[in-house]
Amino acid sequence: MRHKTQEPELKAKDILIKFLEGFPDINPDIVREIAERITVESFKKGTILLQEGAIPKNCYYVLQGCLRQYKICEGVDRTIEFFTEKNGAVSSENYFTQSISDHNLACIEDSVLIIGDPIRDQKMFATYPVLESITRKMMEQEWGKTQKAFADFMTSSPEERYLNLLQSRPELLERVPQHQIAGYLGITAESLSRIRKRIISKAYRV
Amino acid sequence: MRHKTQEPELKAKDILIKFLEGFPDINPDIVREIAERITVESFKKGTILLQEGAIPKNCYYVLQGCLRQYKICEGVDRTIEFFTEKNGAVSSENYFTQSISDHNLACIEDSVLIIGDPIRDQKMFATYPVLESITRKMMEQEWGKTQKAFADFMTSSPEERYLNLLQSRPELLERVPQHQIAGYLGITAESLSRIRKRIISKAYRV
């Protein structure tokens, strides 16, 4: 179920304009024109954007807030990814292939999101080729980040995974409940607690 | 060290032309013109394309053959990914950010590869915008596939990972040595052998 917040539309558009102004490839003269044609919406914490079993209609970009992608595996809630302003592109194979989603997507903070869909995006790319170029670069970067995170996960112990997260995305540890962080690291909340105690005790010994 | 094979250059170009002809978005009249400007090379099995510690100069697309991306973790060789004709785009965060590579890349079969580099690719995109559009779609697909593989890996047991691989990339099991498949699944060769025996025994019982 989608709950829009009561914040004025203008605020989300202003955030979008600021975001677009950060791309040197976009001519400043057309930033407002492009912003007018991009859909940006505010969502309340707790909004479910996608449910397992549905075909994803949209992709998103997080301008503000935090989304959680998760799966229920034999009754256990497993976090697959967190998306914030620092890794804002939210999509999946199910979106690209328009197939049934094997995961859920929820706002775990009040969030401001760019909303894309295949037909509208294609029209925007035809009108503003610079947007396709920016998207291509963004997809390359996101793919690279996912590849690295996957390789690190495959080749690390749970303690190393926690230390990696502490180094690469320290803000997540402040924003997300510990049991969700534990699931994301592939361990129980109790194991995460033990790892944290061990790290703190090592730090004091040094 | 890079060893080029003695195969005539024409053969690799012909494979490239056939590959480009598979994209309906490329006007058939300019396929040969584009092919002339793309670098394609043949490499012998065993060629090391990238070593840990070096900055990656190139990205690749596998037209024929198989590449293995791997890391040495505390003396243990860990396969991160295999790339074949079916998932041909080979890149990494280190390539996109031009940073020091944390992994190695080797041809584990004689391979025919498209070779890209940031400056040449940018020029090609400026001359043939359709190539940027195709690359954007390819990056989206590759990102989606990597996200799905990562989520499946996180949420599966070793036996489920093996069954997933059997279903999604059966040809890999024929082409790649068992100990490398085991490393890719995050288990030892002995565990993989036990899993395979268990699956065969279950299949006979049914």
Side-chain angles (χ1 to χ4, degrees):
Chain A
M1 216 177 131
R2 182 181 277 193
H3 303 276
K4 289 192 196 179
T5 63
Q6 294 310 306
E7 287 181 59
E9 193 67 8
L10 189 63
K11 201 181 163 205
K13 276 284 177 202
D14 285 343
I15 297 167
L16 173 64
I17 287 167
K18 207 173 156 194
F19 173 73
L20 293 174
E21 283 171 347
F23 292 94
D25 291 350
I26 302 180
N27 183 336
D29 297 343
I30 58 167
V31 162
R32 281 176 185 273
E33 179 186 322
I34 290 176
E36 277 309 309
R37 298 180 63 173
I38 289 177
T39 305
V40 58
E41 282 183 30
S42 301
F43 296 89
K44 275 280 180 211
K45 176 178 173 174
T47 307
I48 306 290
L49 296 167
L50 173 65
Q51 270 183 323
E52 204 176 321
I55 294 174
K57 287 184 194 153
N58 300 110
C59 63
Y60 302 95
Y61 193 94
V62 182
L63 293 176
Q64 231 175 48
C66 186
L67 308 188
R68 185 171 80 97
Q69 197 182 37
Y70 60 102
K71 251 172 138 161
I72 308 296
C73 303
E74 295 174 4
V76 179
D77 178 321
R78 289 293 306 272
T79 297
I80 299 165
E81 193 52 273
F82 296 104
F83 301 93
T84 66
E85 308 80 10
K86 291 199 178 168
N87 67 325
V90 186
S91 196
S92 66
E93 196 186 34
N94 301 131
Y95 174 71
F96 297 130
T97 58
Q98 283 295 288
S99 57
I100 288 170
S101 178
D102 58 0
H103 61 266
N104 307 278
L105 186 66
C107 300
I108 59 170
E109 293 178 1
D110 288 352
S111 300
V112 177
L113 310 176
I114 293 177
I115 301 177
D117 71 57
I119 294 168
R120 194 164 39 188
D121 289 355
Q122 204 50 56
K123 279 187 196 159
M124 286 296 279
F125 294 151
T127 314
Y128 306 103
V130 67
L131 292 186
E132 180 148 46
S133 182
I134 287 171
T135 305
R136 194 257 310 160
K137 288 176 198 161
M138 193 181 282
M139 290 296 111
E140 285 179 351
Q141 283 163 7
E142 292 302 327
W143 182 39
K145 280 196 271 183
T146 305
Q147 283 184 305
K148 182 168 163 42
F150 188 7
D152 286 349
F153 189 92
M154 281 171 88
T155 57
S156 304
S157 67
E159 184 163 331
E160 287 166 338
R161 283 178 207 158
Y162 178 73
L163 288 169
N164 278 345
L165 197 65
L166 202 63
Q167 193 176 25
S168 60
R169 304 178 72 182
E171 80 290 354
L172 262 191
L173 303 174
E174 303 293 323
R175 293 168 74 165
V176 171
Q178 288 305 308
H179 69 276
Q180 288 177 357
I181 294 284
Y184 183 49
L185 296 171
I187 56 177
T188 63
E190 293 71 30
S191 296
L192 176 58
S193 173
R194 274 196 298 276
I195 286 172
R196 296 183 67 189
K197 278 186 194 147
R198 203 155 55 226
I199 290 169
I200 290 165
S201 120
K202 271 187 205 169
Y204 273 103
R205 251 184 285 151
V206 170
Chain B
M1 218 175 128
R2 184 182 275 197
H3 303 276
K4 289 191 197 177
T5 64
Q6 294 310 304
E7 286 181 59
E9 191 67 8
L10 188 63
K11 202 182 158 205
K13 277 282 178 202
D14 285 342
I15 297 167
L16 172 64
I17 287 167
K18 208 174 153 193
F19 173 72
L20 293 173
E21 284 171 347
F23 292 94
D25 291 350
I26 303 179
N27 182 336
D29 298 344
I30 58 166
V31 162
R32 282 177 185 272
E33 179 186 323
I34 290 176
E36 277 311 307
R37 299 180 64 174
I38 290 178
T39 305
V40 57
E41 281 183 31
S42 301
F43 296 89
K44 274 281 181 210
K45 176 177 173 173
T47 307
I48 306 291
L49 296 167
L50 174 64
Q51 270 184 323
E52 204 176 320
I55 293 174
K57 288 183 192 152
N58 300 109
C59 63
Y60 302 95
Y61 193 94
V62 182
L63 294 175
Q64 229 174 49
C66 185
L67 308 189
R68 185 170 79 97
Q69 196 181 38
Y70 61 102
K71 250 172 139 163
I72 308 297
C73 303
E74 296 174 5
V76 179
D77 177 322
R78 290 291 308 269
T79 296
I80 300 165
E81 193 52 273
F82 296 103
F83 301 94
T84 65
E85 308 81 11
K86 291 198 178 171
N87 67 324
V90 186
S91 196
S92 66
E93 194 184 36
N94 301 131
Y95 173 72
F96 297 131
T97 59
Q98 283 294 288
S99 58
I100 288 170
S101 177
D102 58 0
H103 61 267
N104 307 278
L105 186 67
C107 300
I108 60 169
E109 293 178 2
D110 288 353
S111 300
V112 178
L113 309 176
I114 292 177
I115 301 177
D117 71 57
I119 295 168
R120 194 165 39 188
D121 289 355
Q122 204 50 58
K123 278 187 197 161
M124 286 296 280
F125 293 151
T127 314
Y128 306 103
V130 65
L131 292 186
E132 180 149 45
S133 180
I134 287 171
T135 305
R136 193 258 308 160
K137 289 177 197 161
M138 195 182 282
M139 289 297 108
E140 285 179 352
Q141 283 163 5
E142 293 302 326
W143 182 39
K145 281 196 271 185
T146 305
Q147 283 183 306
K148 179 168 166 43
F150 189 7
D152 285 348
F153 189 92
M154 282 171 89
T155 56
S156 305
S157 67
E159 185 164 329
E160 287 166 337
R161 283 178 207 158
Y162 179 72
L163 288 170
N164 279 344
L165 197 65
L166 202 63
Q167 193 177 25
S168 61
R169 304 178 72 185
E171 79 290 353
L172 260 193
L173 303 174
E174 303 293 323
R175 292 167 73 166
V176 171
Q178 288 304 307
H179 69 277
Q180 289 177 357
I181 293 284
Y184 182 49
L185 297 171
I187 56 177
T188 62
E190 293 70 31
S191 296
L192 176 56
S193 173
R194 273 197 297 277
I195 286 171
R196 295 183 68 189
K197 277 186 197 149
R198 202 154 55 225
I199 290 169
I200 290 167
S201 116
K202 271 187 206 167
Y204 272 102
R205 251 186 284 152
V206 172

